[in-house]
Amino acid sequence: MKKIRLGHSDLYVTPICLGTMTFGEQVDEPTAHAILNRSFERGVDFIDTAEMYAVPTRKETFGATETIIGNWFAKHPGMRAKTVLATKVAGPSRGMDWVRQGSGMTAEDIVASCENSLRRLQTDVIDLYQIHWPERHVPAFGNLYYDPCKETSRTPIREQLEALAKLVEAGKVRAIGLSNETPYGVHEFVRLAEEHRLPRVATVQNVYNLLNRTVENGLDETMHRLGVSLLAYSPLGYGLLTGKYDAGGSTGPGAPAGARITLYESVRKQRWGRPGSLAAARRYNQLAREHGMTPTKFALAFCNSKWQVASTILGVTSVAQLDESIDSWGATLSPEVLAEIDQLRLEMHDPAF
């Protein structure tokens, strides 16, 4: 696969990234290691994880995903040097008091989280270290609007950048990124980095798929003009865009027993379990079939066709799913098909915002 440069950094990655948030919850360690092995066999050497994984989050599985990946590195000497490894520091608690206490995310929190991730991953350096969600109160994870009355920010962006700078200067982090960010946040991180000679963000990892194209509501222009790359997560909409829910609702007849939305009530209550998300997914999946493509191939071809996307993060629970996704990669959609998709978006908007 042709490598893609991330932002202004010296990181070059494949257009597919292996997402790992299921490792330690739906995926046991032997299966996770088999998926990692297969990923490298297929040429995908870009791995994304986070300190708070596995998902859905529980105290018992906090840090499990990084630990599983670290054990894989230990079993395969030399593979760490061949890997572009990304992980994330969790933002303010969001009810996960096992990650950190309180509502903030201090400079000390960032440094401590990085040290813990390095230990679990059994590595000396993280290639891309990302802030998982803003320290500010922002519209994300199903919240549509910004409400200044809910603002609880305590750590200025400059202070966060200075903490990240210390990690870069110490050789523990190569490049930095953001996740679940807004245009304002990206602008501020870049402006302050340039003004104070601090590390410049290379990436933003945001949800981007047929059911949620909010990246295109202004964030894409910000990233393009500032030279920041998009890492698109949930390209298959938590499985809705694979077609596996088309025969029934997330819990009704036809719903697959082992799928995330079926298994976890917490997921069903989020944006992916909304009736509008399910209904829109069925429309896009039908459009895929009308054009002679599987829903999975169609959804991935959409990401592959869009100039906004640098690398697409694929989350899987089996080697077979990984092979299906990689086999589906490389297809693109014609301008005419993209126009049909745009018409559906005008009708159904972004139901999984």
Side-chain angles (χ1 to χ4, degrees):
M1 298 182 186
K2 182 180 179 181
K3 295 294 183 76
I4 296 157
R5 185 183 182 189
L6 295 182
H8 293 175
S9 76
D10 63 356
L11 298 180
Y12 288 80
V13 302
T14 51
I16 297 175
C17 175
L18 178 64
T20 61
M21 71 178 187
T22 59
F23 294 4
E25 180 65 50
Q26 285 179 276
V27 179
D28 61 22
E29 186 159 333
T31 304
H33 287 187
I35 290 169
L36 287 162
N37 290 338
R38 186 61 173 163
S39 178
F40 270 77
E41 289 173 8
R42 298 296 303 268
V44 177
D45 57 8
F46 182 22
I47 300 173
D48 178 72
T49 187
E51 68 169 337
M52 63 165 273
Y53 291 168
V55 170
T57 56
R58 296 187 295 125
K59 182 178 181 180
E60 294 77 11
T61 58
F62 169 63
T65 305
E66 289 185 329
T67 298
I68 288 170
I69 294 170
N71 291 341
W72 183 75
F73 285 140
K75 286 176 61 177
H76 298 86
M79 291 305 289
R80 175 63 190 95
K82 300 177 182 179
T83 305
V84 178
L85 176 63
T87 192
K88 312 179 198 75
V89 51
S93 172
R94 295 179 62 86
M96 295 179 289
D97 57 4
W98 55 85
V99 178
R100 68 175 57 94
Q101 298 293 326
S103 59
M105 181 186 65
T106 66
E108 291 77 15
D109 290 331
I110 293 171
V111 172
S113 286
C114 183
E115 295 287 359
N116 288 331
S117 288
L118 288 166
R119 174 181 50 80
R120 286 189 292 263
L121 290 163
Q122 302 189 48
T123 185
D124 296 325
V125 62
I126 293 163
D127 297 307
L128 179 65
Y129 197 48
Q130 306 153 97
I131 295 176
H132 206 151
W133 57 87
E135 194 269 352
R136 315 176 319 278
H137 173 79
V138 299
F141 304 112
N143 296 312
L144 185 58
Y145 301 110
Y146 172 69
D147 184 353
C149 295
K150 295 181 179 179
E151 188 58 78
T152 58
S153 179
R154 298 178 182 179
T155 308
I157 288 175
R158 179 177 173 181
E159 184 177 334
Q160 296 170 50
L161 276 171
E162 288 171 342
L164 293 166
K166 290 179 181 178
L167 295 169
V168 172
E169 290 164 5
K172 296 177 180 180
V173 168
R174 290 179 61 194
I176 65 170
L178 307 171
S179 186
N180 300 295
E181 236 334 333
T182 67
Y184 166 80
V186 179
H187 270 286
E188 275 298 281
F189 270 92
V190 171
R191 182 184 71 82
L192 290 168
E194 292 179 344
E195 181 178 342
H196 299 287
R197 298 185 180 182
L198 296 166
R200 197 179 194 279
V201 295
T203 58
V204 173
Q205 183 180 147
N206 273 28
V207 62
Y208 185 68
N209 58 48
L210 291 165
L211 305 176
N212 184 333
R213 294 170 58 183
T214 52
V215 162
E216 296 176 78
N217 296 348
L219 180 59
D220 56 349
E221 180 186 6
T222 291
M223 296 176 68
H224 171 69
R225 294 190 183 278
L226 297 179
V228 178
S229 297
L230 175 65
L231 306 179
Y233 78 77
S234 293
L236 299 177
Y238 257 60
L240 296 184
L241 295 170
T242 66
K244 63 186 176 184
Y245 293 103
D246 286 2
S250 60
T251 57
R260 266 175 281 173
I261 299 179
T262 309
L263 285 173
Y264 303 110
E265 183 179 3
S266 61
V267 176
R268 289 196 297 275
K269 291 180 178 179
Q270 296 172 7
R271 50 191 166 184
W272 310 111
R274 293 173 182 156
S277 297
L278 291 162
R282 294 185 181 116
R283 294 283 298 278
Y284 285 116
N285 295 341
Q286 179 58 35
L287 184 62
R289 298 181 184 103
E290 290 171 4
H291 287 282
M293 301 174 75
T294 66
T296 295
K297 187 171 186 177
F298 190 77
L300 294 178
F302 170 75
C303 289
N304 194 34
S305 300
K306 300 294 285 186
W307 64 263
Q308 288 89 343
V309 179
S311 188
T312 301
I313 301 172
L314 300 176
V316 300
T317 58
S318 68
V319 171
Q321 282 187 358
L322 176 67
D323 279 333
E324 179 187 9
S325 293
I326 295 177
D327 289 343
S328 297
W329 190 258
T332 58
L333 302 177
S334 69
E336 292 75 19
V337 175
L338 290 172
E340 291 184 67
I341 290 171
D342 286 345
Q343 284 299 312
L344 283 179
R345 188 191 186 206
L346 285 174
E347 178 185 340
M348 298 180 293
H349 306 290
D350 294 301
F353 58 82

